[in-house]
Amino acid sequence: MPESRIQPGGERQRIDIDREQELEDWARKLDATPQQVKDAVRAVGNRADDVEMHLKGVRTTTNSDETRRANR
């Protein structure tokens, strides 16, 4: 079974941006546009959890914040 299909437990684990319907489904699920999902997959890979975190901006600090903190 391709990785983009439903895995055991009922959850799809990978996003296949080449499948239009799947891309639209993920965009709807992630409250994003298909283009945002494509961009996120290109940025972080096709793991659904990584894409979701990327789209939600899970990081609470930026690299500049971390650099300033380290230089104190």
Side-chain angles (χ1 to χ4, degrees):
M1 171 170 27
E3 288 184 59
S4 63
R5 295 293 172 213
I6 297 177
Q7 300 288 319
E11 290 297 315
R12 291 179 286 181
Q13 301 297 316
R14 307 258 179 205
I15 299 172
D16 184 348
I17 60 173
D18 295 322
R19 293 178 175 264
E20 192 67 31
Q21 186 60 52
E22 184 172 334
L23 177 61
E24 290 176 15
D25 290 346
W26 277 110
R28 198 169 18 263
K29 177 179 180 179
L30 297 171
D31 194 25
T33 66
Q35 187 60 51
Q36 288 172 317
V37 174
K38 281 183 182 181
D39 293 344
V41 167
R42 290 181 182 126
V44 299
N46 67 352
R47 288 189 62 235
D49 291 342
D50 293 342
V51 171
E52 182 176 17
M53 288 191 322
H54 179 78
L55 289 170
K56 288 183 176 181
V58 175
R59 286 178 32 170
T60 58
T61 60
T62 64
N63 286 337
S64 331
D65 294 336
E66 291 299 317
T67 301
R68 278 194 295 274
R69 196 174 297 146
N71 289 329
R72 288 186 190 166

